[in-house]
Amino acid sequence: MLHLDYRDGRPIYEQVADGIEQLVAHNVLEADSQLPSVRQLAVELSINPNTVQRAYGALESKGVIYSVKGKGNFVSSDSTQVRQRRIDELHTQLHHLVQDARLLDVAPATLITWIHEEEQS
Amino acid sequence: MLHLDYRDGRPIYEQVADGIEQLVAHNVLEADSQLPSVRQLAVELSINPNTVQRAYGALESKGVIYSVKGKGNFVSSDSTQVRQRRIDELHTQLHHLVQDARLLDVAPATLITWIHEEEQS
Amino acid sequence: MLHLDYRDGRPIYEQVADGIEQLVAHNVLEADSQLPSVRQLAVELSINPNTVQRAYGALESKGVIYSVKGKGNFVSSDSTQVRQRRIDELHTQLHHLVQDARLLDVAPATLITWIHEEEQS
Amino acid sequence: MLHLDYRDGRPIYEQVADGIEQLVAHNVLEADSQLPSVRQLAVELSINPNTVQRAYGALESKGVIYSVKGKGNFVSSDSTQVRQRRIDELHTQLHHLVQDARLLDVAPATLITWIHEEEQS
DNA sequence: GTGGTCTAGACCACG
DNA sequence: GTGGTCTAGACCACT
């Protein structure tokens, strides 16, 4: 389900949160569907329940999921908003990438060529 | 010369190393030219010499610069290679970005549109 | 009759209790009238009878309702008192709000303006 | 400096975070000034460093403060934004209060009267 | 059973 | 010294 990489510098809880957010953004996890319990996911991933809790907490404060005490964690209903936010992030990343390219004297046209190559492969 | 941003989450030594690498990639610092001494740069940037040393160390292990004991640190001769490596990184980043976009049902054409918008602004 | 929101962070039993207290305060439920049985309300709201029981218990200790063993739960006779208590709470809340506004250099006049805006919308 | 209430249902880390946010909003803590270290504040308040860390983390993700590894935590520069957000919260609270009042047949005019009474006292 | 908070103690990265 | 992450284990509130 989720892939953890301990060599990756990013903290575990962030990898968990990002992984789940992706699943939500791509509608693999549908709105209002229940997520695995904190303890269960902790066992599955062989990590501490506290770490899962932290990931869930981060997602909740981001509005990606909501939690009900005594019942569990659920996917937030307006996943559209989540998708939009991720698209905005994409836009920002591309912005930085174009800036970096400029500094290296790589024309935007070159970047576009690369994208076309992606499409063919 | 170099711009440090303490609010940016990135560690100082990384900002220093990246800044120097950019200067090398753009040939602002020419091959075999001498870099400022660890202590001098530390004073200029008002940071700890340890931090500068660490940045230089990172650059050396990356092949961007080389150090001569008792003399100082110098820009590696094949700076074209440095530039090429950074361009490759750019290519890889763009690759991941296009993949992420696909997963979000954002067509490559949309990305190209965004790039065009960059050019105009 | 009662509206439950699972996404709302507040516990279910509290939402149930508050909902009933509001109905009492607005005289929708008259004094000494009988409330639905624990089991019946649980079925209606599709929640656990324990949760309803807890809500009723909270209301009883607050004096909003009283329970007769073997007969059921009933609205407390002096519902005016309930309403008055809720109005007092409102007064207290407004007091704190004005205090907080002062600390933020927001004049009471501004608050009054906001209230007028409410009336128009 | 900060007041903790263990009887209050709110979690400790939230009380700490809110307290600091208030100090920032009221300019008691100026922009870019350094906050007490995690360990130091933990000792002062007689709580676990982890709890302080959590409070600081929440404030950082809210943009109230920023942290520099190995240096400390600092007040975010644009405290204007923090103040504005708190004012927005105030507005929302007042909105809910007016709604609740309406349900209790308490006219907005009454609320305004209460505010005037505040001013005189 | 569920989520949520807190403590204690350890380890790492940064300066 | 600083912040940041993770584990282990306990306790509470809710269903």
Side-chain angles (χ1 to χ4, degrees):
Chain A
M1 182 174 180
L2 282 179
H3 183 62
L4 294 185
D5 181 4
Y6 281 89
R7 286 165 301 179
D8 182 341
R10 293 163 59 212
I12 307 295
Y13 82 92
E14 197 178 309
Q15 294 185 37
V16 173
D18 278 9
I20 294 178
E21 188 176 350
Q22 273 200 11
L23 294 179
V24 172
H26 304 139
N27 275 319
V28 178
L29 292 175
E30 295 179 4
D32 291 312
S33 66
Q34 186 163 7
L35 295 166
S37 83
V38 171
R39 292 163 175 79
Q40 182 188 338
L41 188 54
V43 171
E44 277 182 25
L45 301 176
S46 304
I47 60 179
N48 192 293
N50 251 327
T51 306
V52 177
Q53 175 79 304
R54 190 166 176 182
Y56 278 3
L59 288 173
E60 190 186 9
S61 70
K62 259 179 136 180
V64 179
I65 68 177
Y66 64 90
S67 85
V68 182
K69 268 188 188 169
K71 294 206 69 175
N73 288 275
F74 303 84
V75 175
S76 202
S77 45
D78 51 353
S79 66
T80 326
Q81 192 186 337
V82 174
R83 183 171 174 270
Q84 188 54 48
R85 195 152 42 69
R86 287 184 64 88
I87 290 179
D88 288 346
E89 285 174 11
L90 218 62
H91 200 150
T92 306
Q93 283 176 26
L94 185 62
H95 172 72
H96 289 313
L97 206 151
V98 172
Q99 296 295 346
D100 288 350
R102 274 217 180 97
L103 292 174
L104 286 167
D105 285 324
V106 172
T110 309
L111 299 180
I112 293 175
T113 311
W114 289 348
I115 293 178
H116 284 309
E117 288 171 3
E118 293 277 341
E119 287 183 276
Q120 293 164 356
S121 64
Chain B
M1 181 175 181
L2 280 179
H3 183 60
L4 293 185
D5 181 6
Y6 281 92
R7 284 167 232 169
D8 179 339
R10 292 161 61 209
I12 306 299
Y13 87 94
E14 196 178 312
Q15 294 185 38
V16 174
D18 275 13
I20 295 179
E21 190 175 347
Q22 270 198 15
L23 294 178
V24 172
H26 303 135
N27 276 320
V28 176
L29 292 175
E30 294 179 3
D32 293 313
S33 67
Q34 185 166 8
L35 293 165
S37 78
V38 169
R39 283 178 299 176
Q40 183 188 340
L41 187 55
V43 171
E44 274 184 28
L45 300 176
S46 304
I47 60 180
N48 195 303
N50 280 333
T51 308
V52 177
Q53 185 57 55
R54 189 160 181 178
Y56 278 3
L59 288 172
E60 190 183 3
S61 71
K62 251 180 143 182
V64 179
I65 68 176
Y66 62 91
S67 85
V68 181
K69 273 184 189 170
K71 295 205 64 176
N73 291 274
F74 302 85
V75 175
S76 212
S77 45
D78 47 358
S79 69
T80 45
Q81 190 188 335
V82 173
R83 182 170 176 270
Q84 188 55 47
R85 193 160 44 67
R86 285 184 65 90
I87 291 180
D88 289 347
E89 284 175 10
L90 218 63
H91 200 150
T92 307
Q93 283 176 24
L94 186 62
H95 172 71
H96 289 313
L97 206 152
V98 172
Q99 296 295 345
D100 288 350
R102 274 218 180 97
L103 291 174
L104 286 168
D105 285 326
V106 172
T110 309
L111 301 181
I112 292 175
T113 309
W114 289 347
I115 293 179
H116 284 308
E117 288 172 1
E118 294 278 340
E119 287 184 275
Q120 292 166 356
S121 65
Chain C
M1 179 175 181
L2 280 180
H3 182 62
L4 293 185
D5 181 6
Y6 281 93
R7 284 165 233 172
D8 177 337
R10 293 161 61 211
I12 304 300
Y13 86 94
E14 197 178 310
Q15 294 186 36
V16 173
D18 275 12
I20 294 178
E21 190 174 347
Q22 269 199 14
L23 295 178
V24 172
H26 304 136
N27 277 318
V28 178
L29 293 175
E30 294 179 4
D32 293 313
S33 66
Q34 185 166 9
L35 293 165
S37 78
V38 170
R39 283 179 299 176
Q40 183 187 340
L41 187 54
V43 171
E44 275 183 28
L45 300 176
S46 304
I47 60 180
N48 195 304
N50 281 332
T51 307
V52 177
Q53 184 57 55
R54 189 159 179 181
Y56 278 4
L59 288 172
E60 190 182 4
S61 70
K62 251 179 143 180
V64 179
I65 68 176
Y66 61 91
S67 84
V68 181
K69 273 183 188 169
K71 295 204 65 176
N73 292 274
F74 302 85
V75 175
S76 210
S77 44
D78 48 356
S79 70
T80 45
Q81 190 187 336
V82 174
R83 182 170 176 271
Q84 188 54 48
R85 195 160 43 67
R86 286 183 64 90
I87 290 180
D88 288 346
E89 284 174 9
L90 219 62
H91 201 149
T92 308
Q93 283 175 26
L94 186 61
H95 172 71
H96 289 314
L97 206 151
V98 172
Q99 296 296 344
D100 288 350
R102 273 218 181 96
L103 291 175
L104 286 168
D105 284 325
V106 172
T110 309
L111 301 180
I112 293 176
T113 309
W114 288 347
I115 293 179
H116 283 309
E117 288 172 1
E118 294 277 340
E119 288 183 274
Q120 292 166 355
S121 64
Chain D
M1 180 175 181
L2 282 178
H3 182 61
L4 293 185
D5 181 3
Y6 281 90
R7 285 166 301 180
D8 181 341
R10 292 164 60 212
I12 308 294
Y13 82 93
E14 197 177 310
Q15 294 184 39
V16 173
D18 278 9
I20 294 178
E21 189 175 350
Q22 273 200 13
L23 294 178
V24 173
H26 304 138
N27 274 320
V28 178
L29 293 175
E30 293 178 6
D32 291 312
S33 66
Q34 185 163 9
L35 294 166
S37 82
V38 171
R39 292 163 174 81
Q40 182 189 339
L41 187 54
V43 171
E44 276 183 26
L45 301 176
S46 303
I47 60 180
N48 192 294
N50 251 327
T51 307
V52 177
Q53 176 77 307
R54 189 165 176 180
Y56 278 4
L59 287 173
E60 190 187 8
S61 71
K62 259 178 136 180
V64 179
I65 68 176
Y66 64 91
S67 85
V68 182
K69 269 189 189 169
K71 294 207 69 176
N73 288 275
F74 304 84
V75 176
S76 204
S77 46
D78 50 354
S79 66
T80 326
Q81 192 188 339
V82 175
R83 183 171 175 269
Q84 188 53 48
R85 196 153 40 69
R86 287 185 64 88
I87 290 180
D88 289 346
E89 286 174 10
L90 218 63
H91 200 152
T92 307
Q93 283 175 25
L94 186 61
H95 172 72
H96 290 314
L97 207 152
V98 172
Q99 296 296 345
D100 289 351
R102 274 218 181 95
L103 292 174
L104 287 167
D105 285 324
V106 172
T110 309
L111 300 180
I112 293 176
T113 309
W114 288 347
I115 293 178
H116 283 309
E117 289 171 1
E118 294 277 341
E119 287 184 274
Q120 293 165 355
S121 66

